[in-house]
Amino acid sequence: RALYEARALIELDAADPSPAASAVRWSGDPVARVAFVKGVPSEADRTDGSAFAGPYGEAAAKAAAALGIGDGGLFLTCSRPDAAASAGERAERLGLQIEAVDPAIVVATDAEAAADLAAAYGLAALRPGTPVAHLGRTLLAVDGLEASLADEARKRRVWAQLKTLAPRAD
């Protein structure tokens, strides 16, 4: 594990060659089985300097644990930490991060993250709630995890979308 983690950390640093341009860094486990991606960093992320700060990160961890997919560690990142980055730069950075971590599952938690994740893998789009098997991993977009924290109807919809990732007993 130590070797894989060291490799991932080097590659994650290479994905962000100018940390000053991105005040919000990734957080969590650099060799996690599951990655959660959101688009624009929240104020809490900016204050903390890392992705998924506060209740949003807690919600992602609880969801992964409830689904039995998190194995205790998640990789958490924002696809748009630098407002000046072009769509191509965002896609390249996110693709490099995902390849560095090499998770089995990647969840885009809002529309911006879904667009950036699709672009990173050359896909037309990711439809919320429809898992896509691509290059050895499962990609899933959900309809606004952060927004669902304050909206019960959306929370039920997002939970139903996330449940498509639950391991099936065959």
Side-chain angles (χ1 to χ4, degrees):
R1 175 175 165 97
L3 181 61
Y4 287 113
E5 188 170 324
R7 177 205 45 88
L9 289 170
I10 290 168
E11 291 178 13
L12 286 166
D13 283 343
D16 274 323
S18 175
S22 171
V24 177
R25 304 279 290 176
W26 61 271
S27 62
D29 186 349
V31 291
R33 183 174 173 269
V34 178
F36 276 74
V37 181
K38 72 174 178 174
V40 179
S42 68
E43 192 55 43
D45 297 331
R46 292 184 211 292
T47 300
D48 192 57
S50 63
F52 285 75
Y56 195 31
E58 294 168 19
K62 285 179 184 177
L67 293 168
I69 62 171
D71 296 337
L74 300 175
F75 176 77
L76 307 162
T77 193
C78 297
S79 62
R80 300 182 180 196
D82 179 2
S86 69
E89 290 168 330
R90 290 191 309 261
E92 181 180 9
R93 176 183 172 274
L94 182 59
L96 289 170
Q97 285 185 323
I98 298 303
E99 291 305 312
V101 176
D102 195 24
I105 298 168
V106 183
V107 178
T109 64
D110 56 36
E112 293 87 0
D116 295 337
L117 184 60
Y121 286 100
L123 302 173
L126 292 172
R127 282 190 23 225
T130 304
V132 173
H134 188 70
L135 298 175
R137 59 181 50 97
T138 301
L139 310 177
L140 176 71
V142 298
D143 192 23
L145 179 63
E146 186 168 22
S148 77
L149 299 180
D151 179 337
E152 281 301 316
R154 182 174 264 186
K155 187 180 290 185
R156 286 190 296 278
R157 185 170 63 241
V158 168
W159 180 242
Q161 293 166 346
L162 285 168
K163 286 194 313 187
T164 64
L165 296 173
R168 294 183 186 0
D170 294 328

